[in-house]
Amino acid sequence: MSLQDTVINTETVAPGDKEYDDAVRVLFGTGSPALVARPRDADEIAAALAHAVRRGLTVSVRSGGHSLLGHGTNTGGLVIDLRHLDGIEVLDVDRRLVRIGGGATWGRVADALDPRGWAITSGDTAGVGVGGLTLGGGFGWMVRRYGLAVDNLVAARVVTADGRLLTASETENPHLFWALRGGGGNFGVVVSFDFVAQPVATVHRGTVTYQLDDAAELVVRWRDAMRSAPEEMTSTLVLPPAAPGEIPEAMVMLCYAGEGGAGDRVAEANAAIEPLLELGTVLRASIAECRYADLLEDTAPPPGLRIEGRNTLVRSINDEVVDAVDRMHRSSSPAMIALRSLGGAFSRVMSGATAFAHRDAEAMIIAMVVLPGTASDDDVAQALLPWHAVAARGMGSYTNFQSSASASDVAAAYPPATYTRLALVKRAYDPGNVFARNHNVRPGDGLPRPRRA
Ligand SMILES: Cc1cc2nc3c(=O)[nH]c(=O)nc-3n(C[C@H](O)[C@H](O)[C@H](O)COP(=O)(O)OP(=O)(O)OC[C@H]3O[C@@H](n4cnc5c(N)ncnc54)[C@H](O)[C@@H]3O)c2cc1C
């Protein structure tokens, strides 16, 4: 029996098939798996998993394929590509309850909810998958207004490593539900997510470009403006690496998600945006009201480059943090530094309430290093040297913006109590660590047996 034959009734792509070259490629990697399965329902997922477990194959689960580590493909294993599970179904209009397939992308979700005047806070990029972004937490343009994507999740249907279909919610398999909200793809294949959408038809978005005279001063001014901003306002300060011969610039990207009558909304948006126009010498500004669906961009990194992301969440943008960011920006590191504002609804969730634990962070700081495709690990380490001083001032990191998944990355993502609980959930739902191609949580000791859906 061939590898392909044993995955009964599932669309598959195997080496030699004409689609194979496309099927094994994701944004940050090209693999050579033994088989790519494209299931259409939970039974087909279970069959694919049984096939992998029988043969001891590495399992990759793919939603939008945007993992920074290329986890959506592998070498010699099985890829479960969820592209056919991309349905978006309104379950309850009054509650704005929406069921979204585990393989949908956020751009399609935004487009589907737009005619109802609804939106779910998600990421900034249309092609990112609902699966990967949600399971890591999900930082979007309305994070201060509506929290993380997972803060709007009320249930998920999950196929576990042994092929059972379980519902996870506050009342069914609650430990699993807790773990899915930040613990990544460690616990099973999520067939669908049930979210409560928010009444958001339009938002004000903008980019303000500043002449960058003094990065430290700009960071402090942006921080102070965001400390007194309403939580309808979310913004990111971007410090690109200095380009030789060019006037240094910095950008503030903003999104104001307000409610109220048309007049009120515009006036309130303008009042909230104004302080972000006064941080320094403005070179350009473009601000407009748009559909939430138009906010999501469809960007992909140019091919042939090596891109490495690191991030840390800081409790406070204090003098030490400002100094470390400033030093990194002044260094020769080819890193783009971005500071994403947090607080608001994001911080009102208790740290222990979800597996994403770093709730008292004022900001997330991201460093994105772009190097030639030929860059070695040593080149990357060199480019990231000034980052260590920034990371040392953080309380931990967000898995989804981390191009590294070592044991220390996992430890940075999950504080000890969170990790211990995740390890117990892992033991209950994936004791054989079938789902290991992620920021991996190892099975630990003792939770009650899971309940069936
Ligand atoms: C251009 C770009 C922009 C981004 N913007 C944002 C942003 O604004 N906010 C933010 O929070 N993150 C953002 N990210 C990070 C993003 O959240 C992660 O890269 C995420 O893992 C991508 O999800 P995916 O489903 O597209 O990726 P995939 O590679 O398909 O999946 C990533 C991992 O998630 C798990 N997984 C995915 N789907 C399922 C499922 N249904 N069931 C079980 N496990 C599953 C698997 O472990 C898989 O390896 C961005 C990334 C990129 C490349």
Side-chain angles (χ1 to χ4, degrees):
M1 202 182 295
S2 78
L3 281 177
Q4 201 166 352
D5 293 338
T6 59
V7 183
I8 301 157
N9 290 336
T10 304
E11 179 183 320
T12 54
V13 184
D17 290 348
K18 70 175 186 320
E19 273 190 64
Y20 184 78
D21 288 352
D22 281 342
V24 300
R25 197 178 305 132
V26 287
L27 202 58
F28 291 99
T30 300
S32 52
L35 196 66
V36 177
R38 293 173 174 166
R40 292 187 176 273
D41 58 27
D43 287 342
E44 291 189 10
I45 293 172
L49 284 171
H51 168 85
V53 169
R54 262 198 311 274
R55 287 177 160 70
L57 298 178
T58 297
V59 173
S60 287
V61 181
R62 186 192 303 166
S63 176
H66 275 56
S67 154
L68 268 57
L69 287 142
H71 278 156
T73 192
N74 63 45
T75 303
L78 173 77
V79 172
I80 300 181
D81 179 343
L82 300 174
R83 64 177 57 202
H84 295 313
L85 291 162
D86 63 349
I88 300 160
E89 181 193 355
V90 176
L91 298 180
D92 183 333
V93 174
D94 294 337
R95 289 177 61 203
R96 296 188 301 275
L97 186 62
V98 185
R99 175 163 292 173
I100 303 174
T105 54
W106 283 110
R108 283 205 55 242
V109 173
D111 285 339
L113 300 185
D114 174 68
R116 294 179 183 272
W118 299 352
I120 299 169
T121 184
S122 52
D124 54 18
T125 301
V128 167
V130 172
L133 179 131
T134 303
L135 293 169
F139 286 77
W141 276 121
M142 301 190 289
V143 63
R144 283 165 47 83
R145 179 83 167 100
Y146 295 118
L148 294 175
V150 284
D151 299 335
N152 301 280
L153 184 70
V154 292
R157 289 162 63 242
V158 187
V159 177
T160 47
D162 55 6
R164 288 168 305 154
L165 174 63
L166 304 178
T167 296
S169 69
E170 290 291 0
T171 52
E172 289 182 76
N173 298 300
H175 297 295
L176 177 60
F177 185 54
W178 171 85
L180 293 175
R181 289 174 291 161
N186 271 289
F187 308 99
V189 181
V190 180
V191 181
S192 63
F193 298 89
D194 294 352
F195 286 98
V196 173
Q198 303 301 340
V200 179
T202 63
V203 297
H204 283 75
R205 72 150 168 216
T207 303
V208 187
T209 306
Y210 285 99
Q211 184 171 312
L212 186 54
D213 302 316
D214 183 336
E217 196 178 304
L218 184 61
V219 170
V220 168
R221 288 187 178 178
W222 172 78
R223 174 200 70 189
D224 292 347
M226 287 311 301
R227 280 182 180 172
S228 47
E231 58 191 57
E232 286 84 354
M233 173 66 76
T234 295
S235 82
T236 298
L237 172 63
V238 181
L239 305 172
E246 286 181 17
I247 297 173
E249 295 183 350
M251 273 87 69
V252 173
M253 297 157 78
L254 63 89
C255 172
Y256 179 86
E259 284 172 33
D264 294 348
R265 198 182 59 244
V266 172
E268 285 165 13
N270 288 339
I273 290 166
E274 203 174 309
L276 292 173
L277 290 166
E278 294 170 351
L279 306 179
T281 307
V282 175
L283 299 177
R284 294 178 295 283
S286 131
I287 295 164
E289 189 167 8
C290 70
R291 294 161 60 230
Y292 176 81
D294 289 339
L295 190 62
L296 303 193
E297 295 182 346
D298 217 347
T299 49
L305 297 173
R306 179 158 180 187
I307 298 176
E308 290 277 331
R310 298 289 187 276
N311 75 90
T312 191
L313 290 122
V314 292
R315 191 165 280 116
S316 161
I317 306 173
N318 57 25
D319 291 349
E320 288 184 340
V321 169
V322 173
D323 184 55
V325 168
D326 186 46
R327 281 171 190 270
M328 178 157 192
H329 185 255
R330 281 172 196 270
S331 75
S332 55
S333 171
M336 183 204 75
I337 306 170
L339 293 91
R340 285 191 171 210
S341 62
L342 298 172
F346 164 85
S347 296
R348 281 198 293 277
V349 177
M350 300 293 290
S351 283
T354 61
F356 178 90
H358 307 298
R359 295 291 184 161
D360 43 359
E362 180 176 15
M364 174 160 56
I365 306 180
I366 301 161
M368 204 56 87
V369 175
V370 182
L371 295 168
T374 51
S376 65
D377 288 351
D378 283 349
D379 296 333
V380 172
Q382 186 68 29
L384 285 169
L385 274 181
W387 170 251
H388 299 305
V390 182
R393 277 147 186 92
M395 64 174 99
S397 65
Y398 172 47
T399 54
N400 278 354
F401 283 138
Q402 197 75 0
S403 303
S404 165
S406 65
S408 62
D409 289 302
V410 175
Y414 305 116
T418 305
Y419 187 83
T420 302
R421 187 171 173 193
L422 283 171
L424 295 178
V425 181
K426 179 80 171 178
R427 182 183 159 101
Y429 293 91
D430 181 20
N433 203 9
V434 169
F435 303 105
R437 207 149 155 69
N438 43 41
H439 283 83
N440 196 224
V441 172
R442 307 280 166 149
D445 285 326
L447 264 187
R449 297 292 302 160
R451 283 173 41 203
R452 262 179 188 285

